[in-house]
Amino acid sequence: MKNDTQLSIKVIVGSTREGRFGDKAAFWIAEEIKKQEGVVVETLDLRDYDMPFFNEPVSPSFKQEPYKNEAVARFTQKIEEGDAFLIVTPEYNHGTSGVLKNALDWVYPEWNNKPVAFVSYGGVGGARAVEHLRLNVIELQMAPIREAVHIPGDQYFQVLMGKMNAEDLFISMSERAQRMITQLLWWTRALKSARHL
């Protein structure tokens, strides 16, 4: 039985490419969120959900029964369990990754009326990918919060090249992360309460 006093936060790793930085950022932010009381955090790595490109004749907002693809069904169940989401996204060509956009497209009612925050990395800290995602999640009837953590390329590349310790990079981001987490949890509690009215 689900404990309704606890908040279920799902951290989504939005890159599946080899040598990615996203898994490091996701591990860090998940550990930061776990420091809060009454929160259960689970990381959803899109490498574990091999979903095809969305190809159904009916949009998820109109489907009458679950899609039959096993990976889609597992992912949809995880999204349904979540009270809020933290999406870790790279920036590719001024937008988010194709694999992340596809994951968003497979699900609809399970996203509705839930908040989402973002950790991004890339050119201008991945800010353009987050702007892209804000438009997408509003259409999914989610509430994107204002605060976000943007990690500039000149910093995370130093980690990937072994010239900087990831821990040192993330320590420098901790204040921004705490502001984001505080805001995310406020919205999580408010919207969870509203969903149960």
Side-chain angles (χ1 to χ4, degrees):
M1 184 172 158
K2 186 177 177 183
N3 182 351
D4 283 334
T5 64
Q6 290 188 317
L7 302 178
S8 172
I9 312 294
K10 306 294 186 184
V11 175
I12 299 174
V13 186
S15 171
T16 57
R17 67 189 293 183
E18 188 175 343
R20 64 189 175 170
F21 177 78
D23 55 343
K24 296 171 184 57
F27 177 81
W28 163 68
I29 202 64
E31 291 302 307
E32 291 298 307
I33 299 169
K34 287 176 186 176
K35 295 175 184 176
Q36 308 296 314
E37 289 186 24
V39 173
V40 176
V41 181
E42 181 180 14
T43 299
L44 306 180
D45 189 337
L46 294 181
R47 283 184 177 176
D48 298 329
Y49 300 90
D50 188 18
M51 294 178 275
F53 284 117
F54 182 76
N55 58 1
E56 296 290 329
V58 177
S59 164
S61 60
F62 294 109
K63 71 181 181 195
Q64 298 298 308
E65 58 186 43
Y67 294 130
K68 294 183 171 41
N69 180 280
E70 182 271 339
V72 170
R74 284 190 298 111
F75 185 71
T76 301
Q77 179 59 43
K78 290 297 182 181
I79 301 310
E80 184 173 5
E81 292 170 9
D83 293 313
F85 305 92
L86 190 299
I87 295 177
V88 178
T89 181
E91 181 174 310
Y92 300 157
N93 301 316
H94 286 218
T96 192
S97 66
V99 69
L100 177 55
K101 178 61 167 63
N102 188 56
L104 293 174
D105 290 345
W106 272 107
V107 182
Y108 184 75
E110 296 81 4
W111 293 121
N112 293 176
N113 304 315
K114 297 175 183 179
V116 58
F118 303 97
V119 171
S120 61
Y121 55 97
V124 297
R128 294 169 296 202
V130 171
E131 286 303 300
H132 177 190
L133 285 166
R134 287 183 190 281
L135 296 173
N136 298 151
V137 300
I138 288 169
E139 185 64 21
L140 295 171
Q141 296 192 51
M142 301 178 79
I145 68 165
R146 181 182 183 277
E147 294 289 340
V149 175
H150 302 288
I151 305 171
D154 63 343
Q155 294 181 27
Y156 88 85
F157 276 128
Q158 296 297 312
V159 173
L160 292 179
M161 293 185 294
K163 295 181 177 179
M164 183 180 188
N165 187 303
E167 205 171 278
D168 293 336
L169 169 60
F170 294 133
I171 286 171
S172 73
M173 306 279 168
S174 62
E175 188 176 325
R176 278 179 277 176
Q178 289 311 309
R179 288 198 305 267
M180 178 185 67
I181 291 167
T182 297
Q183 197 174 77
L184 178 64
L185 294 184
W186 189 94
W187 279 98
T188 305
R189 292 184 185 99
L191 290 177
K192 183 171 184 174
S193 177
R195 288 196 310 275
H196 286 88
L197 290 178

